[in-house]
Amino acid sequence: GIFGLLGAGFVFGWRYRARLPGPMSVFLRRRLAPWIVINLIIGMIIPFIDNLGHTGGLIGGSILAMILGNPVVPGEQSPRWMRWASVGLSAALLGFALWGVLR
């Protein structure tokens, strides 16, 4: 979950770098990237840390930040079909995970 938020924050900072205030833009782009890299390196060094899960969260958060748009910035909402598609995909993935657990 944390890596998903890191990925979404990085994409948000990159996507809206011209509209965000200077310190916030710098924080979301330049200060989150080293934390992401450091945590992935720590995951490679310390045994029993699931780096695939962290990478999946990072990629998932980044993709969702690219697809969903931003309701805070005026005129930047994603199309309605894209929001419904993400809800449907999330429900399907949740159902698949539940099926795997109950099986």
Side-chain angles (χ1 to χ4, degrees), residues 14-103:
W14 186 262
R15 189 173 179 185
Y16 300 107
R17 63 187 175 272
R19 295 184 184 175
L20 291 173
M24 184 180 289
S25 176
V26 169
F27 175 77
L28 289 174
R29 287 183 296 129
R30 295 185 187 152
R31 299 233 173 113
L32 283 184
W35 282 102
I36 293 169
V37 172
I38 288 170
N39 281 305
L40 288 175
I41 290 172
I42 289 172
M44 288 181 217
I45 294 172
I46 298 176
F48 306 113
I49 291 181
D50 186 13
N51 239 9
L52 287 176
H54 290 150
T55 306
L58 182 68
I59 292 169
S62 300
I63 289 172
L64 279 176
M66 284 188 270
I67 290 174
L68 290 180
N70 177 24
V72 176
V73 177
E76 288 292 330
Q77 284 191 335
S78 60
R80 184 179 301 267
W81 70 269
M82 198 175 288
R83 288 180 287 190
W84 280 107
S86 65
V87 168
L89 179 63
S90 297
L93 289 173
L94 187 61
F96 183 69
L98 186 62
W99 175 75
V101 168
L102 295 177
R103 193 175 140 216

